[in-house]
Amino acid sequence: MSTGFETVIGLEVHVELATKTKIFCGCSTAFGGAPNTQVCPVCSGMPGSLPVLNKQVLKYAMAVGIATNCDITRYSKFDRKNYFYPDNPQNYQISQLYAPICRNGHVDILDENGNEKSVGIHEIHMEEDAGKLIHDESDGVTYVDYNRSGVPLIEIVSEPDMRSATEVINYLEKLRQTIQYLGASDCKLNEGSMRADVNVSVRPYGSEEFGTRTEMKNLNSFKAITRAIENEVDRQIDLIESGEKVIQETRRWDDIKGYSYPMRSKEDAMDYRYFPEPDLGPISVKEDWITEIKNNQPELAQEKRERYIKEYSLPEYDATQLTSEKSLADLFEKILETGANPKKVSNYLMGETMRLLKEQEKEVDDINFSPKHLGTLIKLQEEGKINSNMAKEIFEHIFNEDIDPEVYVKEHGLQMESNEDELKDIIKKVIDDNPKSVEDYNNGKEKAIGFLVGQTMKLTKGKANPGMVNKLLKEMLSN
């Protein structure tokens, strides 16, 4: 890639809100229902049906706006965006063009070099989602599922402030984290509850004028977004350096094939003929409601991170990892309620838990073991009833099967041997059977004791308390 060009990126992020019902009707928003079973005259666009705004949608939109430092529009309204597409049963979409609910915000992220920078948010507006087209290539037909039609969305429109794919991912992760902590959406890219359209252009370094931008669609993972941006930047630079022009157009990214192709030209884009939505009145937001939402905002990731460092004396790295996803922070706090040591809980979550998630290709949200069971495991280890190797083995069963560790230890006879008299008899045999190691230890070779500890553990089938074995061995060897 040439180094003479600067990348300029802005995002339009669509987020499905976590309401139980749709934005303008009472149909369920549950994901995964049988096609066309969660529809009614309103969301299927039947003539004469009238929309009624779901108040929780407005509340979530305002909460996200407050958390992203936006100004809340006191007098907001809906507009009708007219276009025909098979997944749009009304032939129009109810959205907000002229008076969006939130404006002029920002979120702070880390740039390419790890320095803090601010990304502006132009606006956040509410709108309804469209249905879903399912293309059956074997039959050469396309099916339409209207279950998603009318699901509430907020669209978060950034300023063109990002300069690399790294900054884009940092911005999206910050947005996703914030929205998840608010409880406004699960932001699952694989289920379409968070979707990003990426506007990319390049310009010579030092230029104030923006280059011609393209819009990239069909991006459903952070990896796909990164690859699409890098590919598009290379494509635009190659065009410019070969004397050709970048065409302003919408492109679709094929992540399997690793390239994008044009969908439609922006110059030929249809006129949406926006006009005020005639079936919905304006929204007047009172000051006391804004104050109430502000006062009821939950503890967000940064605040939680700072509290973990101060309250539990956790290292900054631990606190950052534990608060990276709300579900992980929730699990951490539930385990602490069992009385477990915060640092030991942190070690299990960041170590063994993350290892098993990676091996099994699962996400944090897939964790389903009881917090009580991990708390109990840590307690058994602290009390010397099991050693670290046993604990690691038992934790895998907790992770996979959510077993009760106390019951498991009892049923499998794993409790460590801590009876001093019995251990002394075993250690005496180890000393008698290994005179060379005893001699080495007495001659100052400290490492020799490790071999003797190992032999003792072998005879006890790993059930002896290693600390007690070490202590007894040194006492018996010094006599």
Side-chain angles (χ1 to χ4, degrees), residues 78-94:
F78 284 99
D79 303 290
R80 186 173 289 189
K81 176 182 179 180
N82 297 275
Y83 69 95
F84 172 77
Y85 205 65
D87 63 1
N88 182 26
Q90 301 151 283
N91 294 332
Y92 62 83
Q93 178 191 36
I94 299 175

Side-chain angles (χ1 to χ4, degrees), residues 335-361:
I335 298 169
L336 291 190
E337 289 174 7
T338 69
N341 178 283
K343 178 57 179 168
K344 290 185 178 177
V345 175
S346 174
N347 290 345
Y348 264 102
L349 293 180
M350 295 195 307
E352 288 302 295
T353 303
M354 291 302 159
R355 178 183 67 81
L356 292 168
L357 285 174
K358 186 176 180 180
E359 284 181 3
Q360 299 178 22
E361 297 182 343

Side-chain angles (χ1 to χ4, degrees), residues 26 28 71 79 110 123 131 143 164 168 216 228 355 359 399 473:
S28 170
D71 298 326
D79 303 290
L110 297 180
E123 68 176 57
Y143 299 96
S164 69
V168 167
M216 303 286 290
R355 178 183 67 81
E359 284 181 3
F399 184 89
L473 259 168

Side-chain angles (χ1 to χ4, degrees), residues 383-406:
E383 291 176 347
K385 293 179 179 177
I386 57 173
N387 60 36
S388 58
N389 287 334
M390 290 177 185
K392 186 175 178 180
E393 175 193 326
I394 295 167
F395 179 71
E396 287 208 27
H397 289 286
I398 291 174
F399 184 89
N400 293 316
E401 306 146 42
D402 196 26
I403 55 102
D404 183 326
E406 284 186 313

Side-chain angles (χ1 to χ4, degrees), residues 192-224:
S193 57
M194 185 178 189
R195 313 192 288 273
D197 296 338
V198 184
N199 293 283
V200 181
S201 66
V202 298
R203 64 184 177 187
Y205 273 110
S207 173
E208 294 294 323
E209 187 177 340
F210 290 128
T212 303
R213 66 182 171 87
T214 59
E215 183 180 33
M216 303 286 290
K217 287 185 175 288
N218 194 33
L219 305 170
N220 57 7
S221 74
F222 288 166
K223 287 182 179 178

Side-chain angles (χ1 to χ4, degrees), residues 317-478:
Y317 177 80
D318 289 42
T320 300
Q321 294 301 308
L322 291 170
T323 56
S324 60
E325 294 199 39
K326 182 178 183 295
S327 54
L328 188 61
D330 289 344
L331 178 60
F332 172 70
E333 293 184 11
K334 286 175 183 174
I335 298 169
L336 291 190
E337 289 174 7
T338 69
N341 178 283
K343 178 57 179 168
K344 290 185 178 177
V345 175
S346 174
N347 290 345
Y348 264 102
L349 293 180
M350 295 195 307
E352 288 302 295
T353 303
M354 291 302 159
R355 178 183 67 81
L356 292 168
L357 285 174
K358 186 176 180 180
E359 284 181 3
Q360 299 178 22
E361 297 182 343
K362 291 182 176 180
E363 302 293 332
V364 171
D365 287 341
D366 297 324
I367 294 173
N368 59 9
F369 62 77
S370 164
K372 179 183 176 183
H373 288 162
L374 179 51
T376 301
L377 180 70
I378 292 170
K379 184 181 177 184
L380 288 172
Q381 195 173 352
E382 285 181 327
E383 291 176 347
K385 293 179 179 177
I386 57 173
N387 60 36
S388 58
N389 287 334
M390 290 177 185
K392 186 175 178 180
E393 175 193 326
I394 295 167
F395 179 71
E396 287 208 27
H397 289 286
I398 291 174
F399 184 89
N400 293 316
E401 306 146 42
D402 196 26
I403 55 102
D404 183 326
E406 284 186 313
V407 173
Y408 186 87
V409 167
K410 187 175 181 181
E411 288 179 347
H412 292 78
L414 294 177
Q415 185 158 328
M416 282 202 296
E417 178 58 63
S418 297
N419 184 303
E420 280 199 25
D421 291 334
E422 290 182 15
L423 278 177
K424 282 180 178 178
D425 290 340
I426 295 169
I427 291 170
K428 186 177 185 308
K429 182 176 184 331
V430 170
I431 290 172
D432 291 342
D433 291 347
N434 296 278
K436 181 67 171 63
S437 294
V438 172
E439 183 183 348
D440 287 344
Y441 177 76
N442 289 331
N443 289 333
K445 294 182 179 179
E446 286 287 332
K447 289 184 179 179
I449 202 168
F451 175 78
L452 298 172
V453 170
Q455 291 302 301
T456 306
M457 296 301 293
K458 187 176 179 181
L459 286 177
T460 61
K461 297 180 180 178
K463 295 180 184 178
N465 184 321
M468 184 175 287
V469 170
N470 203 296
K471 173 176 169 287
L472 292 174
L473 259 168
K474 287 182 177 179
E475 288 176 357
M476 293 171 72
L477 289 170
S478 64

